Amino acid sequence: MRRKNYRWQEWQPGFPMSIDATRHKDLPRDVQFDSEKGADFVLNYSKAIENLFVNQFMHMFQTSWTDFADFEKIFVRIKNTISEYVMQHWKEDFMFGYQFLNGCNPVMIKKCTKLPDKFPVTNEMVSVSLERELTLEQEVEAGNIYIVDYEDLEGISPNCTDPCTLQYLAAPICLLYKNVQNKIMPIAIQLRQTPGKDNPIFLPTDGQYDWLLAKIWVRSSDFHYHQNVTHLLRTHLITEVFAIAMYRQLPAVHPVYKLLIPHVRFTIAINTKAREQLICECGIFDKANATGGGGHVQMIQKSMKNLTFRSLCFPDMIKARGMDNKEEVPSYFYRDDGYQVWEATKSFVSDVVRFYYTSDEMLQEDVEIQAFIKDVCSFGMQDYDYCEFPKSLKSREELVEYLSVIVFTASAQHAAVNFGQYDWCSWIPNSPSTMRMPPPSQKGWATVDLIMNSLPDRGRSSWHLGAVWALSQYQDNELLLGTYPDEHFIEKSVKTAMEKFRKQLAEITSTIKKRNEGKKLPYYNMSPDKIPNSVAV
């Protein structure tokens, strides 16, 4: 019966599979929102726009702001918050570099072990930025050079749904340097993937507006990657795959069903609502984003190639980017807090798994759990070879890791990349959702006017602000990681494991609180007291 109600459907070719339902009201009652109003994007965005007092700019499409200070007309100044700090310091190189570690897309930065041929930065270009009396090659060898590459944006069609406004995308590469104070600083930016005369490498020694515009282009590209890949694909859509397979293959009495049910609450519903109102043709996403109008679909199709199972395991994902050494990069709080939450989650999952499965053989013979794993791989991920999702599980250790990935992705990873959006994206020049002029192909062109005509117009800025505000709100009845009010488990051992989990999470929260004390830029997106159990917004 469940398999009849929860059917797979391919919403777009090359996407992970989703639920076969066009509208929220077509969903099985079990997975609908309590009140559909709460998840109405159109309503929430309109409310946000009203609350933020930006109504008067809503319809001012095509009208540029006059200068950077003009953006303050729609900026809600909340004293001593990250967003205000961003507004004050967004032009500074340290702030640009810091966001790769602890902004709302802290998953792009990689250690650079060899400069790619497509990014021909020379020692002469950057020597003035290097502080250790080493050449660029020696700095690379010493492990002080990092790189961010937005190659997935190459060839993506920009939004052309509004004939009055041309919109543009770029696929930049950015070289970063860890200076003697352990700050990550940008030292070179190339805005397109193929080197050439009309694709200069911008440097901090260039004219101030050339360098600022190059950084703005990187920030805009980061916004697109964050929204489409880090957030939509790698938390929302992937969690829906696990949720559908769970409903299809596991009976409600199965311990793994009981373990996962709080972590998939409302995920199918919020994603269905998003397909209905947000990312559909002519949806809200088209209004203010350069990847609207189909570019977002192309991006996800392209980024699916890198969505391997191992890339969802938090420690593997950090290690694969060469970012796992705490001494080398000491202020990577996303990594440090993430490790702690991952370990606590894994320890809890392990306690539950080992209570119900006393041997690996028991797991191998559990046809329901094996059907669940197979459904995720063969249907949810459409058996794409490059995804490397397991088709079956042989050991309890593998099951612990698999379930930890589901719980962590739906809770901590989603929180880390979702709830910081207002902090980092509300000051529009720091995170433009679209650019209205092409990326510069020469140095010496940039002026304040060119930058203003490139940044989002007044109407698009207002829509963008409403979106990041609405997405950053917690639900009224939010259930945080570690809270299990529905008594699915009755066994004493499991209740003890839950209690231990809650205690560990409380300790992590208090460690993070202590570390953040007195910091101008506190990092709390991975703090357990701010991590909802599931993807529900």
Side-chain angles (χ1 to χ4, degrees), residues 236-520:
H236 279 257
L237 300 182
I238 197 67
T239 302
E240 183 178 1
V241 166
F242 293 127
I244 296 168
M246 181 200 82
Y247 281 113
R248 284 170 55 80
Q249 303 299 342
L250 298 177
V253 293
H254 197 289
V256 170
Y257 179 97
K258 293 177 184 181
L259 176 70
L260 294 182
I261 189 85
H263 301 291
V264 297
R265 178 174 178 256
F266 298 149
T267 303
I268 295 174
I270 196 75
N271 287 2
T272 303
K273 242 5 208 169
R275 286 186 286 269
E276 202 181 325
Q277 295 184 320
L278 198 61
I279 54 175
C280 51
E281 219 173 306
C282 306
I284 294 174
F285 203 76
D286 288 359
K287 285 201 186 301
N289 291 290
T291 47
H296 59 307
V297 172
Q298 295 170 6
M299 266 192 91
I300 287 175
Q301 289 164 335
K302 207 169 178 183
S303 301
M304 273 293 283
K305 306 274 186 289
N306 307 317
L307 180 55
T308 61
F309 178 74
R310 293 250 63 88
S311 74
L312 295 171
C313 302
F314 189 77
D316 295 53
M317 178 260 275
I318 298 286
K319 201 175 174 122
R321 293 187 286 112
M323 299 298 293
D324 49 320
N325 188 323
K326 291 188 183 192
E327 273 147 37
E328 283 183 4
V329 190
S331 315
Y332 196 9
F333 305 128
Y334 163 73
R335 170 202 61 203
D336 301 343
D337 301 353
Y339 275 158
Q340 291 191 75
V341 176
W342 170 267
E343 284 310 322
T345 303
K346 199 172 170 191
S347 164
F348 167 59
V349 170
S350 177
D351 290 346
V352 176
V353 164
R354 286 172 199 286
F355 174 71
Y356 289 103
Y357 295 96
T358 48
S359 69
D360 291 345
E361 289 70 36
M362 260 184 91
L363 169 67
Q364 290 161 19
E365 289 158 14
D366 182 341
V367 291
E368 288 161 341
I369 201 78
Q370 299 296 347
F372 163 64
I373 301 298
K374 192 169 190 322
D375 213 9
V376 168
C377 177
S378 301
F379 288 93
M381 298 307 288
Q382 305 206 49
D383 244 338
Y384 292 129
D385 288 340
Y386 45 74
C387 288
E388 296 162 9
F389 272 61
K391 285 190 168 67
S392 64
L393 297 180
K394 305 277 187 289
S395 70
R396 289 174 296 168
E397 197 41 55
E398 286 176 352
L399 179 62
V400 167
E401 183 178 61
Y402 195 95
L403 300 177
S404 300
V405 161
I406 300 175
V407 174
F408 185 88
T409 302
S411 57
Q413 183 61 15
H414 178 257
V417 303
N418 182 69
F419 293 103
Q421 290 186 77
Y422 191 79
D423 287 348
W424 295 102
C425 306
S426 56
W427 180 247
I428 289 170
N430 184 59
S431 211
S433 59
T434 188
M435 295 291 273
R436 297 177 300 132
M437 298 287 270
S441 54
Q442 301 292 324
K443 294 189 183 191
W445 283 6
T447 60
V448 170
D449 280 352
L450 176 72
I451 294 176
M452 288 302 134
N453 291 329
S454 299
L455 287 169
D457 55 44
R458 291 168 187 240
R460 285 180 177 81
S461 298
S462 304
W463 271 104
H464 167 82
L465 199 61
V468 297
W469 187 84
L471 286 168
S472 301
Q473 301 308 302
Y474 288 89
Q475 304 289 334
D476 295 339
N477 54 351
E478 202 73 79
L479 295 175
L480 298 178
L481 187 58
T483 52
Y484 300 101
D486 299 333
E487 298 252 334
H488 291 290
F489 288 109
I490 48 170
E491 294 83 350
K492 192 168 185 303
S493 300
V494 181
K495 292 192 170 204
T496 308
M498 283 176 175
E499 202 39 60
K500 184 181 116 187
F501 185 34
R502 273 193 288 274
K503 211 171 153 207
Q504 280 179 309
L505 293 172
E507 282 163 13
I508 295 167
T509 298
S510 123
T511 311
I512 291 172
K513 210 173 182 174
K514 274 200 194 77
R515 182 208 54 218
N516 282 338
E517 269 167 23
K519 271 197 177 9
K520 290 203 177 78

Side-chain angles (χ1 to χ4, degrees), residues 110 137 160 222 409 425 442 531:
K110 287 182 179 152
E137 289 68 26
C160 54
D222 192 74
T409 302
C425 306
Q442 301 292 324
I531 299 177

